[in-house]
Amino acid sequence: MIATPPDIPRLATELQRPQRRSVAAVLAPLRELSQTSTYCLGNSLGDFRYGTNSYSLARFIFNGPPGGGDPIRLGVFAGIHGDEPAGVLALVRFLRDLAQTPELAAGYRIFAYPICNPTGFEDNTRQSRQGKDLNREFWQASEEPEVYLLEQELWTHEFHGIISLHSDDTSEGLYGFVNGPDLSKDLLEPSLWAAERFLHRNTRLMIDGFRARRGLIDGGYSGILSPPPEAKPVPFQLTFETPAHAPLHLQVEADVAALRCILAEYRTIMSIAPNI
Ligand SMILES: [Zn+2]
């Protein structure tokens, strides 16, 4: 029996209240899903403290039906900037939808981290309560507990692909960063195209200070959430950006469309690869 679908508009309204946001309230639909769906497991990466409060990083693992071979491991990360709720809600929605139509995730094991910066999420700030932009701290001996816990995950699971969901309040359209092997571009382009059903693409030649081509930027900032520097083979890496000032529900739709597209496209690429 699948849980009643969470009401995304209601969750979105919850986020717009002036009081401190509740991590537990936003993740409740996924906790429920992990108890009612045989495909979804929920647990915590570990606890850490800010003052007198204890926090943990939640992880949900979605095991799709077998696809003939070892599962493809994807890491999907959202909410590393605490004031970007679209990706958080999109991941809630994406996993809930997969539980209804698990064949979309056939052959995949999806490791989802919906709120990577819980104190920033509560405070509605980009930074953690420590004042750190956690997405500039990876693989540089960071002392931030959130970064340490996520680095452990990136080490342990040797993902085939890493997807980060963000929103940009300086962009009027969708765009994304690619890193890793060339196929990252082959995945970002169709996923932007899929998301364009809901929001326009940013087609400027410069976005966020980077040279861009039809919303695609090669490279990006140092210290962003990424695979270990020694990772072999190097996973594909996509950072998907929605325009933060667009209606929240459209950003959620765009993210979900992009994620679904990536599942389909990467499966196709992998099925062709042994024959090339
Ligand atoms: Zn961001």
Side-chain angles (χ1 to χ4, degrees):
M1 176 74 181
I2 300 293
T4 310
D7 182 355
I8 294 291
R10 181 177 54 73
L11 288 176
T13 307
E14 172 104 15
L15 293 180
Q16 275 147 13
R17 292 187 183 165
Q19 75 267 28
R20 188 168 272 192
R21 294 167 162 184
S22 165
V23 170
V26 169
L27 294 186
L30 291 183
R31 300 238 178 265
E32 190 180 344
L33 188 68
S34 66
Q35 286 165 7
T36 52
S37 168
T38 52
Y39 295 100
C40 188
L41 299 169
N43 49 29
S44 159
L45 302 186
D47 297 330
F48 52 95
R49 299 192 76 78
Y50 272 87
T52 56
N53 295 328
S54 180
Y55 290 89
S56 63
L57 284 193
R59 176 184 68 191
F60 296 89
I61 302 176
F62 192 95
N63 281 299
D70 290 339
I72 300 167
R73 297 179 302 280
L74 289 190
V76 189
F77 302 84
I80 196 156
H81 290 139
D83 59 349
E84 298 172 10
V88 176
L89 296 181
L91 212 33
V92 172
R93 161 87 184 280
F94 176 62
L95 294 178
R96 182 209 70 186
D97 287 357
L98 286 185
Q100 305 276 6
T101 49
E103 60 276 10
L104 293 180
Y108 284 97
R109 180 170 296 152
I110 299 167
F111 296 74
Y113 307 85
I115 301 185
C116 296
N117 173 6
T119 58
F121 182 81
E122 277 191 351
D123 301 345
N124 192 19
T125 57
R126 178 181 176 90
Q127 287 85 3
S128 68
R129 203 165 293 156
Q130 194 73 5
K132 296 279 180 156
D133 182 339
L134 301 178
N135 209 31
R136 301 290 182 272
E137 291 276 317
F138 281 82
W139 309 112
Q140 27 200 288
S142 174
E143 295 182 351
E144 305 312 305
E146 303 90 334
V147 173
Y148 172 79
L149 292 169
L150 292 168
E151 284 181 347
Q152 295 294 309
E153 292 292 291
L154 292 157
W155 258 116
T156 308
H157 301 303
E158 298 181 322
F159 296 119
H160 296 89
I162 294 173
I163 304 163
S164 298
L165 302 178
H166 285 263
S167 305
D168 183 345
D169 61 5
T170 66
S171 175
E172 71 277 17
L174 301 162
Y175 69 95
F177 295 90
V178 291
N179 286 280
D182 283 349
L183 74 86
S184 304
K185 289 178 197 160
D186 299 336
L187 292 168
L188 183 62
E189 172 53 38
S191 66
L192 283 171
W193 189 80
E196 278 184 290
R197 276 187 287 144
F198 303 99
L199 291 168
H200 293 296
R201 187 189 303 222
N202 184 335
T203 54
R204 291 179 185 275
L205 296 175
M206 294 291 288
I207 302 175
D208 201 17
F210 295 96
R211 194 181 296 274
R213 196 174 58 81
R214 288 194 39 76
L216 192 151
I217 298 167
D218 238 323
Y221 296 98
S222 79
I224 62 166
L225 191 152
S226 56
E230 307 84 355
K232 290 250 173 14
V234 179
F236 75 79
Q237 299 154 62
L238 307 179
T239 300
F240 198 78
E241 300 269 1
T242 56
H245 294 308
L248 188 58
H249 72 281
L250 292 180
Q251 295 181 64
V252 171
E253 296 284 0
D255 276 337
V256 171
L259 289 169
R260 282 192 200 166
C261 177
I262 291 164
L263 290 188
E265 291 287 329
Y266 190 65
R267 183 188 293 115
T268 303
I269 290 171
M270 285 298 95
S271 67
I272 295 168
N275 302 320
I276 292 174

